[in-house]
Amino acid sequence: MTDLETAAHPEQLRRVAIDPVTRVEGHGKVTLLLDEDNKVHQVRLHIVEFRGFEKFIQGRPYWEVPVMVQRLCGICPVSHHLAAAKALDMIVGATRLTPTADKIRRLMHYGQILQSHALHFFHLASPDLLFGFDSELAKRNVVGVIAAYPETAKKGVLLRKYGQEVIRVTAGKRVHGTGAIPGGVNKSLSADERDALLKDAYQMVTWSREAVALARQLFERDAAFSNAFGRFDAHSMSLVGTDGAMDLYHGGLRARAMGGEILFDHFDYTRYWDVIVEDVKPWSYMKFPFLRELGPEHGWYRVGPLTRVANCDFIPTPLADKERTDFLASPGAAGATLGYHWARMIEMLHAAEAIRDLLHDDDIAGADLVVGGERAGRGVGVIEAPRGTLIHHYRVDEHDQVIRANLIVSTTHNNQAMNEAIRQVARQYLDGREVTEGLLNHIEVAIRAFDPCLSCATHALGRMPLEVAIVSHDGTPVDRMTRGTDGRCTRE
Amino acid sequence: MNEQTFNLDGQEIPFAAGQSVMQAALAAGVFVPHLCYHPEFRPHGSCKLCTMKINGRPATSCTTPAAAGMEVESDTPEILDTRRILLQMLLVEGNHFCPSCEKSGHCKLQALGYELGVMSPHFNHFYPDRPVDASHPDVLLDFNRCILCELCIRASAEVDGKNVFALSGRGIKKHLIVNAESGKLGDTDFALTDKAAQVCPVGVILPKHKGFAVPIGQRRFDAEPISAHVEEFKPIAAAAPRAGDKP
Ligand code: SF4
Ligand code: FES
């Protein structure tokens, strides 16, 4: 681990907490341990994780899981819905879905990628990127974007809405849909539904292209800065298709070492535990997964758009693939924390192209929806959710009840990587300087680049406490923070 | 023939001899909220949702025989409030989480909630601990949602001749049990084809492996509110005996 993780004498240090990290959906807490000279000694991104869901689902009938699991996360419920359905395909022995089921699920998934990426870029990230991280707080939000860049903001809203509409049509509802069921789907598209979506499909591709151009421009405006901000080297992992194509719905696992060499490729995700181990640390409830081959110390890795765009061999839709080529040609971008935004928009373009193409595919109107086969006791489903690799793993007994569940969500994979990005930012911008809100916001910007679904990784049964106890590295509670509901910084 | 009638919210409702106020209303096409009533079974009078003001006094309309000249109030703010409170109490007594319940869209409790505009549970949840019984190969029992209407008990005893279900405990501790030494459905002769497997108004008695197979939009109460289904609840012809009728 790096030297900034644990300070030698934390009791003598002064804490500055940013809490909550505004505009990240969910709740995170960053603790900076500063000494008397305002030098950063220790940095941690705390995520309170109640692994409530895994307990909660025990005893429930397996067919309920894809719907139930959406309670886990208000941010990417569709990804959980699909990852769970994929795991349960194995339980019901559906080794190969019908073309209709496969394509309807893909459509649903691309709808989710489109809406999630649009939301993140336009609502959450663009205020920082357009106005600057140190700009006036009152303006640095989506309202400010709407005022200063009304056209851009409008397109963001409509892209998101379109993605939500794709979800509604395929899943039955925008949230808490039921479309994917073990072995397939419960509906295909009617001609009316398809035509309604087709009407705007081309517009979405055009706007997504513009969004890529904007993200690129914002990155290259000050390429040196964009490259250096919160930069760190990391291994990476994502699903890729059998032909090496970007495939966000299905594929094998590919991991690359930080130098770019492949560690494993097309690895059968149904045995993910052979390559990934989940580590625990005393100061965090959230797990720290690492690549088994490299060990807990060095095996942490990065997932998500940045990884996926670089990790695949090509993107199977032409416009996004062209953008990928440009992205990889931009020196350093593929390893930059701020490169996430650019990569995310390339994926959004891919999703828009994929949606358009699927809408022209007759299979999406097919009637053959569900298959089954020999029952199995264990099921694993992996999907590339908007934020990265998402793993669902269930064991179901002979009475059809879930007896064990294990989930590794994207934000958990990125746990160590986010800590690393914050450390870099702390080194770059906070060490030995007076702490200002603008500087603190640099840390938020670094976290935000990962688009962590904190409420997802931290889902609580019941209500999250608004008071947070601060515990020192040796487990002693030394402080208690009250979280302001207005998102303002609390200093002690 | 001189038809006998009573007055329901200003409308003259004809009735046949032996009909309850509720049966007559349903036969006339007036929807009456209900959970423990089923056209094929004798009235039970336990859920109280069909409560009306009959000649000035609150009474369950499913158990009150219709009589000529009665003055009956049903669709009044006071009675609708009572029904809403009854629904809210049912919703907190069990564990009802509609978004992940496979009976969603087919459930009478949920449909009545929408019908009567129940916007929140209002009361504190009991969060009872009621494990599911998955022991039967074809049918799952999720006791979390039982509202103790006893329809399954009646169906199993009176139609199936099996006595699979019973109530145990009193008052707030009252709960549904399975008549087997192990208490498990898998140890009874219960079958998916039993009448008792078809009557549960909520999501307790569920055929296995079928959950969520019907897409949102095509479920029983998706297109129209439960009140538009009044046809399905009409009393069966007088000649057809109901389950459990004394010969
Ligand atoms: S299981 Fe269903 S039918 Fe039986 S008593 Fe409970 S709610 Fe009524
Ligand atoms: S329907 Fe009358 S009391 Fe239940």
Side-chain angles (χ1 to χ4, degrees):
Chain A
M1 281 309 126
T2 51
D3 46 340
L4 285 180
E5 188 174 282
T6 304
H9 301 286
E11 61 284 353
Q12 292 158 13
L13 306 174
R14 174 175 155 241
R15 281 177 170 73
V16 178
I18 315 167
D19 188 16
V21 178
T22 51
R23 278 179 281 142
V24 172
E25 298 201 15
H27 311 89
K29 189 163 94 277
V30 174
T31 311
L32 313 175
L33 269 78
L34 309 178
D35 63 16
E36 279 164 4
D37 308 323
N38 260 357
K39 266 194 156 17
V40 178
H41 265 241
Q42 189 178 336
V43 180
R44 283 173 181 173
L45 168 62
H46 295 264
I47 295 171
V48 182
E49 184 174 45
F50 293 95
R51 291 175 79 81
F53 179 77
E54 276 118 321
K55 258 250 69 58
F56 187 73
I57 200 77
Q58 275 173 20
R60 301 305 308 171
Y62 72 78
W63 54 87
E64 200 176 73
V65 175
V67 177
M68 177 82 83
V69 80
Q70 296 177 84
R71 292 175 68 177
L72 185 67
C73 174
I75 299 163
C76 53
V78 175
S79 306
H80 286 294
H81 181 57
L82 289 169
K86 284 182 79 177
L88 295 163
D89 290 344
M90 280 177 73
I91 299 286
V92 301
T95 42
R96 194 183 194 88
L97 297 192
T98 67
T100 299
D102 180 71
K103 286 170 189 174
I104 291 290
R105 284 199 193 170
R106 282 176 181 273
L107 197 52
M108 194 191 300
H109 187 45
Y110 293 126
Q112 167 76 349
I113 297 276
L114 188 79
Q115 78 88 13
S116 176
H117 282 4
L119 174 74
H120 182 265
F121 184 70
F122 291 100
H123 289 241
L124 304 176
S126 77
D128 297 324
L129 301 172
L130 288 167
F131 301 127
F133 311 163
D134 273 322
S135 62
E136 193 193 332
L137 202 63
K139 189 172 137 195
R140 201 175 61 222
N141 52 42
V142 70
V143 179
V145 176
I146 293 168
Y149 305 91
E151 269 306 296
T152 305
K154 189 180 129 207
K155 287 170 189 171
V157 169
L158 292 176
L159 277 161
R160 172 155 195 241
K161 234 176 127 195
Y162 185 80
Q164 289 173 322
E165 189 57 15
V166 173
I167 293 168
R168 189 190 65 75
V169 167
T170 48
K173 271 163 87 179
R174 274 159 58 158
V175 279
H176 278 120
T178 63
I181 56 177
V185 294
N186 65 15
K187 77 185 286 279
S188 57
L189 257 60
S190 69
D192 286 350
E193 288 169 332
R194 185 199 55 207
D195 293 347
L197 286 178
L198 259 180
K199 205 159 50 66
D200 295 321
Y202 291 83
Q203 183 66 71
M204 296 306 134
V205 174
T206 306
W207 286 348
S208 297
R209 278 184 93 174
E210 291 173 19
V212 181
L214 176 61
R216 175 181 185 168
Q217 183 204 328
L218 291 170
F219 186 91
E220 291 185 329
R221 185 169 62 179
D222 186 348
F225 170 81
S226 300
N227 264 312
F229 182 83
R231 189 186 188 87
F232 59 97
D233 287 330
H235 314 302
S236 56
M237 188 186 75
S238 68
L239 288 179
V240 289
T242 38
D243 52 357
M246 170 180 278
D247 193 334
L248 302 174
Y249 176 72
H250 192 65
L253 292 169
R254 172 183 283 179
R256 280 184 202 271
M258 27 183 113
E261 68 274 23
I262 287 194
L263 293 167
F264 51 81
D265 204 0
H266 303 298
F267 189 85
D268 175 6
Y269 68 61
T270 66
R271 298 195 55 80
Y272 68 91
W273 54 86
D274 284 346
V275 288
I276 299 167
V277 186
E278 292 174 87
D279 199 11
V280 287
K281 299 201 180 199
W283 58 270
S284 177
Y285 288 109
M286 186 136 145
K287 290 190 180 175
F288 286 78
F290 61 88
L291 301 172
R292 188 180 284 277
E293 190 181 335
L294 301 180
E297 191 87 356
H298 304 292
W300 57 273
Y301 53 93
R302 183 160 52 190
V303 301
L306 186 74
T307 289
R308 293 186 295 230
V309 169
N311 210 13
C312 66
D313 299 330
F314 65 98
I315 298 180
T317 53
L319 296 175
D321 193 49
K322 165 79 177 61
E323 298 294 348
R324 173 180 182 270
T325 309
D326 292 355
F327 175 71
L328 295 182
S330 174
T337 293
L338 289 178
Y340 261 104
H341 299 294
W342 186 355
R344 195 170 283 119
M345 290 302 94
I346 294 173
E347 286 192 343
M348 184 170 83
L349 174 58
H350 170 51
E353 290 183 280
I355 290 170
R356 177 203 59 202
D357 294 348
L358 280 167
L359 289 172
H360 285 291
D361 190 323
D362 288 342
D363 282 338
I364 62 162
D368 212 357
L369 304 181
V370 187
V371 290
E374 204 184 313
R375 267 292 297 276
R378 184 204 293 278
V380 179
V382 179
I383 196 166
E384 284 295 336
R387 293 156 185 84
T389 316
L390 171 64
I391 299 177
H392 278 225
H393 178 185
Y394 302 99
R395 288 191 73 106
V396 175
D397 70 10
E398 71 277 17
H399 298 308
D400 309 305
Q401 289 174 285
V402 174
I403 47 176
R404 184 175 175 267
N406 187 45
L407 272 58
I408 310 180
V409 304
S410 325
T411 300
T412 302
H413 292 290
N414 271 338
N415 199 356
Q416 184 63 37
M418 284 191 290
N419 277 281
E420 205 57 34
I422 297 164
R423 283 193 193 99
Q424 297 309 327
V425 168
R427 280 204 181 106
Q428 285 170 302
Y429 298 99
L430 292 175
D431 216 1
R433 291 172 57 178
E434 184 62 20
V435 180
T436 64
E437 210 164 294
L439 284 172
L440 293 182
N441 198 47
H442 279 74
I443 289 178
E444 297 187 35
V445 170
I447 298 169
R448 210 171 285 135
F450 292 84
D451 187 12
C453 51
L454 292 183
S455 79
C456 164
T458 63
H459 183 76
L461 288 175
R463 198 157 292 166
M464 291 285 285
L466 287 178
E467 280 201 1
V468 183
I470 310 276
V471 178
S472 81
H473 74 293
D474 59 1
T476 333
V478 291
D479 210 353
R480 208 169 176 80
M481 310 292 299
T482 306
R483 178 166 55 204
T485 48
D486 55 1
R488 290 209 184 159
C489 300
T490 309
R491 278 190 184 203
E492 292 198 14
Chain B
M1 192 176 98
N2 232 347
E3 224 180 26
Q4 304 220 71
T5 64
F6 62 87
N7 186 290
L8 173 63
D9 294 332
Q11 186 185 347
E12 284 304 314
I13 305 286
F15 64 93
Q19 265 186 336
S20 66
V21 170
M22 183 190 197
Q23 283 174 318
L26 289 170
V30 178
F31 176 71
V32 182
H34 63 269
L35 284 168
C36 69
Y37 161 85
H38 188 292
E40 294 168 45
F41 291 86
R42 282 175 301 157
H44 193 250
S46 63
C47 76
K48 312 292 178 202
L49 270 181
C50 65
T51 295
M52 297 184 184
K53 219 176 218 176
I54 300 176
N55 289 336
R57 301 175 61 164
T60 48
S61 63
C62 68
T63 55
T64 306
M70 272 178 164
E71 287 296 327
V72 182
E73 288 173 36
S74 176
D75 196 9
T76 68
E78 184 194 347
I79 291 168
L80 293 177
D81 266 350
T82 305
R83 291 177 183 156
R84 270 190 284 271
I85 290 169
L86 287 167
L87 283 175
Q88 285 169 324
M89 294 197 297
L90 287 173
L91 287 168
V92 299
E93 270 171 30
N95 297 312
H96 299 275
F97 191 77
C98 298
S100 60
C101 176
E102 61 186 276
K103 198 69 183 262
S104 194
H106 306 276
C107 171
K108 279 192 172 177
L109 180 62
Q110 182 193 42
L112 287 174
Y114 282 127
E115 177 78 34
L116 294 170
V118 174
M119 305 311 279
S120 74
H122 182 76
F123 303 108
N124 287 336
H125 281 278
F126 286 29
Y127 293 123
D129 185 18
R130 303 187 193 156
V132 304
D133 177 350
S135 59
H136 194 281
D138 305 319
V139 177
L140 178 93
L141 297 181
D142 190 339
F143 296 109
N144 285 297
R145 304 158 185 155
C146 183
I147 56 164
L148 305 174
C149 72
E150 296 187 44
L151 272 167
C152 58
I153 302 177
R154 294 182 271 159
S156 186
E158 297 166 8
V159 180
D160 307 325
K162 291 188 180 176
N163 259 319
V164 169
F165 299 103
L167 288 186
S168 177
R170 296 176 139 268
I172 200 65
K173 296 227 167 72
K174 190 153 82 173
H175 62 286
L176 186 71
I177 56 163
V178 171
N179 274 325
E181 212 165 306
S182 64
K184 293 286 182 203
L185 192 66
D187 293 329
T188 69
D189 55 353
F190 188 75
L192 185 56
T193 47
D194 284 2
K195 186 69 183 174
Q198 332 289 328
V199 291
C200 183
V202 292
V204 181
I205 306 175
L206 301 160
K208 280 188 168 182
H209 318 292
K210 296 252 180 341
F212 306 103
V214 181
I216 295 168
Q218 293 171 31
R219 301 170 308 182
R220 188 174 180 199
F221 299 121
D222 277 339
E224 288 179 318
I226 189 168
S227 54
H229 291 250
V230 62
E231 243 355 91
E232 298 161 30
F233 309 129
K234 281 191 176 172
I236 50 177
R242 287 167 302 177
D245 272 344
K246 301 268 167 351

